Amino acid sequence: MEKEKKLIKVTSSPHVRDKVDTQKIMLCVIISLMPATVFGIVNFGIRAMFVLIISVASAVFFEWFYEKLLHKKSTINDLSAVVTGLLLGLNLPSSVPFWLPVVGSGFAIIVVKMLFGGLGQNFMNPALGARCFLIISFASLMNDYSDYPGFEDTFSGATPLATVKAGGQVDTMRMLLGNIPGTIGETSVIALLIGAIFLILMGIIDLSIPASYIITFSVFVLLFGGHGFDMNYLCAELCGGGLMLGAFYMATDYVTSPITPKGKIIYGILLGILTGIFRLFGNSAEGVSFAIIFGNLLVPLIERFTVPRAFGIEKAKKEDKKEAAK
């Protein structure tokens, strides 16, 4: 009788285990997003709340439905679908029709996440992938911020960031506080920073990526923005659009960002340069989403060249070359 073969179970990364599981990490992210979520609802009204609810509910549904259809174990309890739905909703204007977050959630969960193997296998951030898909497919709806009270009178039909790009003047204090048109979750820098500080204190993220991202972008804007060392212009660029939301919540995504210390810095610098190029020289006043998506695609290459070499490997290579030369 043949002995039974012992099968080695190979699972997806990470292989180093920690007491903090996926569910706890996602719960921390959800809690950290509450200040921006609450402010978004207060700023844009009850319609913003419905957009967020529909986005989260549809994301959870699509993940459950996909796994049910393929007879896979349900993973909705890890709360990753809730985070994807919430982030997508916060990246949408409150004026979008209610079917749009459903389409976006379906693309994020099924196309970007589940078809590539689920959580840990996706090559780009699902929420940002869905946002870029919606921007390309439904540009007019994704750029309609007229739902904001006093939009036409205060901003002459343009967001503050678009006004800055056109050479106009904006109130940077209002941009800092968040009393401006934009997507539901991107307007209040203060609310986003409160959530980011919570994540840092909880050890969920570190400052490597967001700091290198924001610093690089700031330097790029000062050098190539055409305004010289104008701090009002720099503050407007930092507070406008989805820079803070992207830097702390999208760029730091565990799955689609580098894990090596040097790689994180290089990744942040790359995102800062790309965002600056897209904003200053592109047609759109924004650029964070496409910059991060493009950066996601380069993460494997970044990690390839920044993985620390094992101790003694260089010496072993030199000895092998000497032996081969004899």
Side-chain angles (χ1 to χ4, degrees):
M1 184 178 178
E2 295 183 1
K3 294 182 179 179
E4 289 186 13
K5 294 182 179 179
K6 293 184 178 180
L7 298 178
I8 300 175
K9 185 178 180 182
V10 180
T11 59
S12 60
S13 59
H15 300 295
V16 178
R17 302 303 176 187
D18 193 283
K19 291 181 181 179
V20 180
D21 57 17
T22 301
Q23 186 184 63
K24 292 179 182 178
I25 292 172
M26 296 301 167
L27 182 60
C28 285
V29 175
I30 293 169
I31 293 171
S32 71
L33 284 168
M34 285 302 102
T37 301
V38 172
F39 184 88
I41 295 171
V42 172
N43 196 33
F44 295 101
I46 195 70
R47 201 174 195 286
M49 183 180 73
F50 287 121
V51 171
L52 293 173
I53 291 173
I54 292 170
S55 183
V56 172
S58 55
V60 174
F61 168 77
F62 281 120
E63 184 161 315
W64 170 85
F65 178 75
Y66 181 90
E67 291 171 333
K68 191 76 173 177
L69 190 66
L70 297 183
H71 305 289
K72 293 186 175 183
K73 182 181 177 181
S74 176
T75 57
I76 59 174
N77 289 331
D78 65 15
L79 300 180
S80 61
V82 175
V83 171
T84 297
L86 183 57
L87 285 173
L88 175 61
L90 292 173
N91 274 282
L92 297 176
S94 59
S95 60
V96 296
F98 291 144
W99 56 263
L100 198 69
V102 177
V103 173
S105 292
F107 185 86
I109 296 298
I110 295 178
V111 178
V112 181
K113 182 181 178 181
M114 303 309 292
L115 287 180
F116 285 89
L119 183 64
Q121 305 297 322
N122 48 285
F123 67 97
M124 70 171 69
N125 184 284
L128 274 189
R131 183 171 192 257
C132 292
F133 165 73
L134 294 176
I135 289 174
I136 295 170
S137 304
F138 310 100
S140 60
L141 296 177
M142 289 293 290
N143 289 286
D144 179 12
Y145 303 111
S146 59
D147 210 35
Y148 181 77
F151 176 69
E152 293 292 338
D153 297 333
T154 308
F155 296 97
S156 303
T159 62
L161 200 59
T163 302
V164 170
K165 187 176 179 65
Q169 295 294 319
V170 294
D171 187 341
T172 53
M173 183 54 67
R174 290 191 64 181
M175 295 179 73
L176 181 66
L177 295 174
N179 296 318
I180 57 172
T183 65
I184 297 171
E186 73 179 13
T187 58
S188 177
V189 174
I190 293 176
L192 291 169
L193 288 178
I194 290 172
I197 291 171
F198 172 77
L199 287 181
I200 293 168
L201 293 176
M202 293 297 293
I204 304 300
I205 65 172
D206 61 47
L207 281 172
S208 300
I209 293 175
S212 57
Y213 184 177
I214 294 170
I215 292 171
T216 302
F217 174 75
S218 300
V219 173
F220 191 94
V221 166
L222 291 175
L223 291 176
F224 304 105
H227 291 259
F229 198 74
D230 186 344
M231 295 308 295
N232 190 70
Y233 171 71
L234 176 60
C235 287
E237 286 287 349
L238 290 174
C239 296
L243 181 65
M244 294 299 168
L245 181 61
F248 288 104
Y249 289 96
M250 308 293 194
T252 56
D253 177 27
Y254 284 4
V255 179
T256 56
S257 63
I259 60 173
T260 60
K262 290 181 181 178
K264 290 180 180 181
I265 303 297
I266 294 172
Y267 179 66
I269 292 173
L270 173 67
L271 296 184
I273 293 173
L274 288 174
T275 303
I277 292 172
F278 292 152
R279 278 196 180 183
L280 299 182
F281 307 114
N283 293 325
S284 174
E286 189 46 274
V288 173
S289 298
F290 289 101
I292 296 177
I293 289 296
F294 191 81
N296 290 162
L297 300 178
L298 295 178
V299 167
L301 188 64
I302 293 172
E303 289 191 328
R304 180 181 177 182
F305 290 101
T306 58
V307 173
R309 294 186 179 277
F311 180 75
I313 193 169
E314 292 295 337
K315 184 178 179 181
K317 283 185 176 180
K318 289 179 181 178
E319 290 178 353
D320 289 341
K321 287 181 180 179
K322 288 180 180 180
E323 289 293 331
K326 289 181 180 180

